[in-house]
Amino acid sequence: MTATLIWILVALVVIGLYLSWTAGRLDRLHARIDAARAALDAQLLRRASVAQELATSGVLDPAASIVLYESAHAARQAEEELREVAESDLSQALRAVFSVPQQVEAVREAPGGEEAARELTEAVRRVPMARRFHNDAVRAARALRRHRKVRWFRLAGHAPFPMAFEMDDEPPAALADRAA
């Protein structure tokens, strides 16, 4: 009788330790998602800021400046639930404005244009990487949260279900060629 109780107690302790370890892992994944989201937000803000700065610099033709400025402004001011659409619109505007290498060359030839073109190239290159890191963290947390033990024992607590950030982040061909 005593041996049975000891084995039951040992089994409960092992199960408790395993559940605690799983809850800690899930907590670390949620922290990773938060950090990746902050990095993604920073890269999106940087891209929108550089695009807006370039649009107001007078280097681009007026129509391209207006399209780029409005898209960048909308991306910076978008509500959270409309952010993916606004960022996708900015990607499309960047592709429309910088669809040909001559436009990038025109920017580079302007005073301070080399620096602006380099900043924009870096910004449009970093956004897809930051989004990929964020979505990978979301995918890992979702996979763990789908396990029965996590659901049955409510190991996720009150943390919201992680959502991926889906947007069009394809860089303009002329800028992607310069980044390579």
Side-chain angles (χ1 to χ4, degrees):
M1 176 80 168
T2 317
T4 306
L5 287 175
I6 291 174
W7 282 111
I8 290 173
L9 184 62
V10 168
L12 288 175
V13 167
V14 168
I15 291 170
L17 287 172
Y18 178 71
L19 291 175
S20 175
W21 175 81
T22 303
R25 181 174 167 224
L26 189 58
D27 186 51
R28 287 188 301 276
L29 282 172
H30 283 137
R32 188 173 129 200
I33 289 171
D34 291 342
R37 181 58 189 241
L40 175 61
D41 286 341
Q43 292 304 321
L44 292 171
L45 180 62
R46 181 173 183 243
R47 180 181 76 153
S49 297
V50 170
Q52 203 169 17
E53 184 179 315
L54 190 60
T56 58
S57 68
V59 174
L60 302 172
D61 63 88
S65 292
I66 290 171
V67 167
L68 196 57
Y69 181 83
E70 287 180 354
S71 295
H73 182 71
R76 289 181 73 176
Q77 302 298 320
E79 298 288 327
E80 189 59 36
E81 56 273 357
L82 300 174
R83 182 103 187 261
E84 293 171 350
V85 174
E87 294 295 345
S88 293
D89 290 345
L90 178 56
S91 294
Q92 292 169 1
L94 284 166
R95 280 197 306 273
V97 171
F98 296 104
S99 60
V100 293
Q102 291 81 7
Q103 186 74 332
V104 177
E105 293 305 317
V107 170
R108 289 180 63 216
E109 291 170 1
E114 183 66 39
E115 178 70 18
R118 186 183 58 73
E119 281 185 43
L120 186 61
T121 301
E122 288 177 7
V124 299
R125 183 178 52 82
R126 288 181 179 169
V127 166
M129 288 189 301
R131 188 176 74 87
R132 197 171 311 119
F133 289 143
H134 175 267
N135 288 349
D136 286 346
V138 166
R139 196 173 305 112
R142 281 181 169 183
L144 184 57
R145 286 182 71 152
R146 283 192 196 104
H147 287 119
R148 258 181 268 177
K149 65 182 177 254
V150 173
R151 290 192 319 259
W152 287 353
F153 293 103
R154 301 180 194 269
L155 298 181
H158 297 287
F161 195 74
M163 300 301 292
F165 194 86
E166 298 300 331
M167 64 172 270
D168 173 8
D169 60 4
E170 183 181 336
L175 291 176
D177 292 343
R178 279 187 47 82

